[in-house]
Structures are given as C-alpha cells and as structure tokens.
Amino acid sequence: MNKAKYLFPKDYMADPSVHVFEGKLYIYPSHDRESGIEENDNGDHFDMNDYHVFSLDDVENGEVTDHGVVLSVKDIPWSGRQLWDCDVAFKNGKYYMYFPLKDKNDIFRIGVAVSDKSYGPFVPEKHPMMGSYSIDPCLFEDNGKHYMYFGGIWGGQLQRYRNNKALESAILPNDNEPAISSKVVALSDDMLEFGEEPKDVVILDENGNPLLHGDKHRFFEASWMHKYNDKYYFSYSTGDTHLICYAVGDNLYGPFTFQGEILTPVVGWTTHHSIVEFKGKWYLFFHDSVPSGGRTWLRSMKVVEIEYDNDGKIKTIEGLEDSK
C-alpha cells in the first residue's frame, strides 16, 4: 500500500486515534462540521460536538463501518464546547474514552466516558479528571499499565500551565528557550483519574539538548506513542510548521531523542495522526483537507503504510505528493 487512501469520504472526520481491539482496527476521530465560526489562532472554528466510532478489518480492501454517534456535548454534564481529539483504552472488560472539552468557563479539561463495547455508546463521568488540562489525550498500555500523553499549545492552552499549575497569564517561551513539553501520566487503577503528577515529555536534539521553541521540529500537539523493537517512539505534530515528527527513547517517560519527520505538510493547517501495527504491517492514520477544497476545519481521514529501515528509522512520507 504505497499511496494513502481516504477512509470515510461521506463525512468530515479528523485526528484519528487507532487501536486494535478484538482483532479489528477501531478508529476514534473527531467529527468536523461547518459551524460558521471565523478562523482564529484559538481554533474556535474547530467546533466539533460529537464523536463517531469506525471499525475496519482489512486496511487494503475492507469496508469501513460507521458505528454512529457514541458521545455528544449535550450528554456531558460539565460541558461547554469543542470536543477535540479523543482516544480509547481497554481494561478489565471496559472501554474508556478520554476526551478534551472546554468546560463552562472555556477551560479545556479531559473527561472520561465508559462503555462495555469498543464501538460505544460511551457514558460520560459527571466530572472531568481531577487536575486535567489541555488537549489531545493519547492512551498507551505498557506491561498492563495505562499511561496518557496529552497537551497542545495555542488553542490547546498548554502555555497557560507550568508544573501542572495554572498561571496568572499564558507564557510562550522565546525562540531561544526550551520548547513547552507534552505531558505523560500514569492512570489510576480504576482508569478514571491521574495516578500521579503529570511529567514533561522532553525531546532532545542530537547533542542531548532540549529542542527550542524556535525549532521547526518542536512539539505543538497531537502526542502519540508506539513501541517498535523494544524502543518507545513518541510522535507529534509541530502545529504551525505542519509536520509530523518523532523521537525515540528507552523509557516511556523519556527523554526522547529527535529522529526525523514522518509526514511533511498536507493540504490544510492541522496535521494529526496515529501509528498502529495490524496484520504484520505498520500504518499511519492522518487527515488532510483536500476533499473540502482546503477548508482546514473540514478534514478527511486517510491511511498509508509506513516503513522502517534497518536502524528503526521511519521513512518520511511526502504529504502533498500523497494528496494528488
């Protein structure tokens, strides 16, 4: 599978988080819509208000099944607006959906909704996770324990926090200062709360120094974690430089050493992905805005196979070439 293909042309879905459950691929995207809100740097035009779940048993030739709406803003007791990228984890017969949502004060929190089925529907808890903030939860299981990677700057509000505490006012570093980090946290045994204080996911350059805020490869949003040949691969979006990059470490907490670009810019401002192994092949799930004519708030899910070289490096995929 050398060329990317669109997964669900009937509707606009973005930010696909993908896992293998029950021998199938399950896709948990955000659901784009046209809400008429003007574009701005806070991302108010990304005004999603529900989630669908999709499943697929054959990437090359299979039909994608839409399991319909599984959670809506109106179902969530503490809701304000904007259901951004979600992810799902499985433990002890239950599926846990983690989602960012602005509360009634327009502050992003991370909520949990629970289901007996991988395809929902999901029932939300009455309150967001205690101490949660920002966006883009990614769930990763390692040796039976679950961890969440999360965070995003600009509209994702990560610049409003330091050491897990809210600041009086947001601070973005200067270009010559270390970049703001994604966060990682182990979850509690019941999967409903943080089990510790979130820690910084530090990305280092080849000299062992943290990437700077002015580096085009610094973290912006869209954390993802996968494991390949016993190494931890932390991948992420660079936001305003429109790349998917990755860094590799020996520990899921990091630090991670920057390795390169997985995906060059696509049509549309945002770039957001997940990486999963299925039936012996590795796939990159992502989105672009080609079908909507470049409207960056109306995105469409895609998938393409990825390749590793003998050193475990991921071969770069040209995003615009793949859009033709």
Side-chain angles (χ1 to χ4, degrees):
M1 183 182 178
N2 298 319
K3 188 166 172 58
K5 73 171 188 178
Y6 290 100
L7 287 162
F8 193 70
K10 297 176 196 166
D11 201 350
Y12 296 114
M13 302 282 167
D15 313 324
S17 296
V18 184
H19 294 278
V20 180
F21 295 133
E22 303 153 339
K24 286 185 182 180
L25 284 171
Y26 281 87
I27 307 167
Y28 303 95
S30 48
H31 184 193
D32 284 354
R33 67 186 182 120
E34 183 62 84
S35 63
I37 295 172
E38 207 170 314
E39 281 187 76
N40 60 39
D41 282 347
N42 285 328
D44 288 337
H45 48 298
F46 296 107
D47 190 29
M48 303 81 134
N49 63 5
D50 65 25
Y51 294 123
H52 285 232
V53 172
F54 299 86
S55 61
L56 183 62
D57 55 18
D58 181 341
V59 177
E60 318 283 328
N61 305 303
E63 283 291 307
V64 173
T65 300
D66 177 6
H67 296 279
V69 175
V70 300
L71 182 66
S72 297
V73 167
K74 61 180 172 50
D75 303 326
I76 300 164
W78 53 276
S79 68
R81 63 192 180 110
Q82 292 183 292
L83 274 178
W84 284 9
D85 170 56
C86 68
D87 198 10
V88 170
F90 173 74
K91 184 177 179 181
N92 294 341
K94 300 275 188 192
Y95 293 87
Y96 297 86
M97 174 178 273
Y98 300 87
F99 57 89
L101 176 67
K102 283 181 176 172
D103 64 14
K104 296 181 195 315
N105 296 315
D106 239 22
I107 304 297
F108 268 118
R109 308 287 182 201
I110 295 172
V112 193
V114 187
S115 179
D116 294 327
K117 299 183 179 70
S118 49
Y119 48 87
F122 290 86
V123 178
E125 295 289 301
K126 289 187 171 56
H127 304 284
M129 300 175 84
M130 202 179 306
S132 67
Y133 56 95
S134 200
I135 60 165
D136 289 356
C138 157
L139 276 296
F140 178 71
E141 183 180 355
D142 198 49
N143 296 319
K145 195 157 179 60
H146 288 84
Y147 301 83
M148 181 191 293
Y149 295 82
F150 69 93
I153 61 174
W154 292 21
Q157 302 181 347
L158 192 54
Q159 68 276 7
R160 298 185 183 186
Y161 299 84
R162 290 294 186 279
N163 302 314
N164 304 311
K165 302 287 188 292
L167 301 171
E168 289 285 330
S169 55
I171 302 171
L172 282 167
N174 294 320
D175 281 356
N176 62 352
E177 294 177 329
I180 293 175
S181 297
S182 170
K183 307 296 174 188
V184 58
V185 61
L187 297 186
S188 59
D189 285 343
D190 68 4
M191 301 290 281
L192 300 179
E193 297 291 351
F194 291 172
E196 61 182 357
E197 284 281 311
K199 298 172 172 61
D200 284 350
V201 178
V202 178
I203 303 169
L204 306 174
D205 65 18
E206 68 274 13
N207 300 314
N209 300 312
L211 291 192
L212 303 179
H213 183 69
D215 192 313
K216 71 173 186 176
H217 295 130
R218 63 88 171 90
F219 170 80
F220 187 101
E221 62 186 0
S223 305
W224 189 259
M225 173 58 66
H226 76 278
K227 212 169 173 181
Y228 179 78
N229 285 352
D230 290 327
K231 296 282 189 184
Y232 295 91
Y233 283 63
F234 176 72
S235 50
Y236 57 94
S237 169
T238 63
D240 57 334
T241 58
H242 317 294
L243 301 164
I244 297 291
C245 294
Y246 75 109
V248 174
D250 295 319
N251 186 304
L252 59 79
Y253 286 104
F256 299 92
T257 302
F258 179 79
Q259 299 295 310
E261 299 171 4
I262 299 174
L263 182 68
T264 62
V266 298
V267 173
W269 196 92
T270 72
T271 190
H272 195 128
H273 71 298
S274 58
I275 294 169
V276 67
E277 184 183 18
F278 186 59
K279 296 183 178 178
K281 293 183 176 182
W282 285 90
Y283 295 98
L284 176 74
F285 289 80
F286 63 107
H287 64 237
D288 68 23
S289 296
V290 172
S292 71
R295 285 176 290 175
T296 198
W297 62 95
L298 296 176
R299 298 160 294 180
S300 296
M301 295 188 294
K302 302 179 82 170
V303 62
V304 68
E305 191 176 339
I306 61 172
E307 298 171 47
Y308 301 86
D309 70 14
N310 292 333
D311 298 322
K313 287 273 186 85
I314 297 173
K315 183 179 172 186
T316 302
I317 296 161
E318 298 296 329
L320 290 176
E321 267 184 31
D322 230 72
S323 299
K324 292 172 184 171

